[in-house]
Amino acid sequence: MKRAIVVTTLLLAGCGGGGGDTPEKDPQPAPRGGDPAPHLEALQRIADRNDGVRAAGSDGDRETVDYIVKTLRAAGLRVTTQPVRFPYFERRAPARLGDLKPEKEVRLAEYSGSGRIRALVRRLPRGGCSAGDFAALRRGEIALVKRGPCFFRVKAANAQRAGAAAVVVSDTYGRTPVAATLIRPGVRIPVLIVTRAAGRRIAGGRVAVDVDATSEERTTTNVIAETKPAERWVMAGGHHDSVTAGPGLNDNGSGVAALLALAQRLRDRPGLRFGFWGAEELALYGSRRYVRSLGSAERDALEAYLNFDMLGSPNGRVYVYDRDDRIERTLRDAIRGREDEVSLEGASDHAPFERAGIPVGGIFTGASERGRRRGPADPCYHRRCDALDNVDRALLARMTDAAERGVLDLIRARR
């Protein structure tokens, strides 16, 4: 995700579903090691075997989880997995409604059902917010209703129960149709939004509707690993999923590789926990699921949560999260060089922890915002070219070392 970025420059002097069912396709990871590069290469191989993606709920996602679990267990950590349900929507082609222009005159609602039909468009006098609004509709017709005053999902559910083949909502407020969501899967019929003028043109006529989309619930997996127990814990984490557009080797294969390397290096340190979160790219589903599962005593025992997301950006600049002052100072000292301060607000997996009252921090090396001198920090951000060659391996290695120093300093200073 990584949006809403606010940067303040600071110049410091340098000083001093889980994994059991997927067949193993990579050699068993070595118990020790600590180099992030082999993990990054393994994630690229996983993407290559799965149409170039590791997105939540995909085969590439399941292989990624399998690799993470095997690596952590080989390092001797106690590993648990946690299923994460999330709503999935994919539009495979532009929605068609008669001769209306896609996006300019007609737009598909998120979580719409699919279908290909040709039917009469029945204009209804009300907004479709109650079952009675569809009294004049005949089964198999397309219902045309006005926008407002209830949720789009309510209109769609009422139309579906009334036997509509599709529902079209006339947007009375704008020159282009509003971007609408049905909130979650469950509506089976096509739901389209049109401009007021377009609604007038199709009313009373027979038109073709063609919607090719997937709207369903899917499952991904969180992976949690622990060293020997202690009264208080330091936790480090990052998301393991990519976007559907590409393999996500910087975002966030780099964070996964760093975390696995840290787990191998710090396996003997008590009170250290690692989290690998699913479906971050969709709405932080994995980290939110994990934090919700914690009891009050478990939350209180978390001394700090550190988020590692995009640690090898090409043209990268090093940032520390502007959240908890103590953690921020620790990470700045650990980086041993020049870094900036970044406010990612709720745009990555630290946000659910912070909302639960857990101190948070993290390291980040830049997404699509522009650096002062070097152009886009990551021109492949959320694109298919976010592959192995897109990762600055030297920067990733440096950030992994800095993350190790920061984690160790927080463990030593544990209250």
Side-chain angles (χ1 to χ4, degrees), residues 68-69 72-73 77-84 221-227 235-236 272-277 286 290 293-294:
I68 292 169
V69 168
L72 294 168
R73 285 181 176 158
L77 279 72
R78 176 178 177 269
V79 181
T80 58
T81 58
Q82 184 180 56
V84 179
T221 305
N222 287 337
V223 181
I224 300 96
E226 296 178 346
T227 60
M235 187 170 195
L272 183 56
R273 184 178 296 159
F274 297 92
F276 299 80
W277 314 122
Y290 175 75
S293 74
L294 298 175

Side-chain angles (χ1 to χ4, degrees), residues 15-279:
C15 60
D21 297 328
T22 304
E24 183 181 345
K25 295 185 175 69
D26 282 296
Q28 184 73 11
R32 283 197 173 275
D35 181 0
H39 304 307
L40 202 65
E41 292 163 2
L43 294 176
Q44 180 65 66
R45 291 194 296 273
I46 290 169
D48 290 343
R49 290 193 293 268
N50 292 281
D51 299 321
V53 299
R54 301 182 303 101
S58 69
D59 289 341
D61 179 43
R62 286 182 281 275
E63 275 201 54
T64 297
V65 168
D66 186 60
Y67 177 80
I68 292 169
V69 168
K70 288 179 178 178
T71 301
L72 294 168
R73 285 181 176 158
L77 279 72
R78 176 178 177 269
V79 181
T80 58
T81 58
Q82 184 180 56
V84 179
R85 296 283 289 172
F86 65 94
Y88 179 83
F89 180 74
E90 179 185 3
R91 186 186 67 176
R92 288 184 287 271
R96 300 290 179 181
L97 176 60
D99 61 356
L100 300 183
K101 298 176 181 177
E103 306 305 313
K104 293 184 178 180
E105 294 180 297
V106 59
R107 179 174 289 175
L108 186 66
E110 187 180 32
Y111 300 115
S112 166
S114 288
R116 179 180 292 179
I117 59 172
R118 184 176 181 85
L120 179 74
V121 178
R122 176 78 64 178
R123 180 194 288 275
L124 301 173
R126 298 180 184 274
C129 295
S130 67
D133 292 351
F134 294 88
L137 183 77
R138 295 180 181 177
R139 183 168 292 276
E141 292 180 336
I142 299 169
L144 175 62
V145 298
K146 297 177 182 178
R147 181 181 173 189
C150 59
F151 290 120
F152 290 102
R153 184 178 181 85
V154 173
K155 299 173 187 287
N158 286 335
Q160 183 171 278
R161 282 193 290 268
V167 60
V168 177
V169 180
S170 176
D171 184 359
T172 58
Y173 304 108
R175 294 184 178 181
T176 58
V178 68
T181 180
L182 306 182
I183 304 172
R184 60 186 181 275
V187 174
R188 299 183 302 276
I189 61 175
V191 181
L192 303 120
I193 319 300
V194 300
T195 61
R196 175 189 287 183
R200 288 173 178 166
R201 279 166 45 199
I202 65 172
R206 292 183 64 83
V207 299
V209 174
D210 188 357
V211 173
D212 183 12
T214 298
S215 177
E216 62 188 17
E217 291 283 336
R218 290 190 176 183
T219 303
T220 183
T221 305
N222 287 337
V223 181
I224 300 96
E226 296 178 346
T227 60
K228 294 178 182 179
E231 288 187 8
R232 298 185 66 80
W233 296 83
V234 171
M235 187 170 195
H239 71 92
H240 63 69
D241 61 315
S242 73
V243 294
T244 57
L249 265 291
N250 184 37
D251 184 14
N252 183 37
S254 61
V256 170
L259 288 164
L260 291 175
L262 290 179
Q264 291 172 322
R265 296 178 189 185
L266 303 177
R267 52 180 287 181
D268 296 324
R269 296 281 180 167
L272 183 56
R273 184 178 296 159
F274 297 92
F276 299 80
W277 314 122

Side-chain angles (χ1 to χ4, degrees), residues 250 311-319 340 364-380 389-393 395 398:
N250 184 37
L311 299 190
S313 299
N315 304 311
R317 294 167 63 190
V318 179
Y319 301 90
D340 296 332
F364 172 67
T365 64
S368 57
E369 83 284 357
R370 291 186 174 273
R372 290 188 171 183
R373 297 181 303 277
R374 291 175 285 179
D378 184 354
C380 291
D389 291 343
N390 188 53
V391 180
D392 184 332
R393 297 203 196 190
L395 179 60
R398 187 162 72 89

Side-chain angles (χ1 to χ4, degrees), residues 10-16 331-339:
L10 299 173
L11 181 60
L12 300 183
C15 60
L331 291 177
R332 286 196 208 131
D333 290 343
I335 288 168
R336 297 178 180 175
R338 185 184 189 278
E339 79 287 333

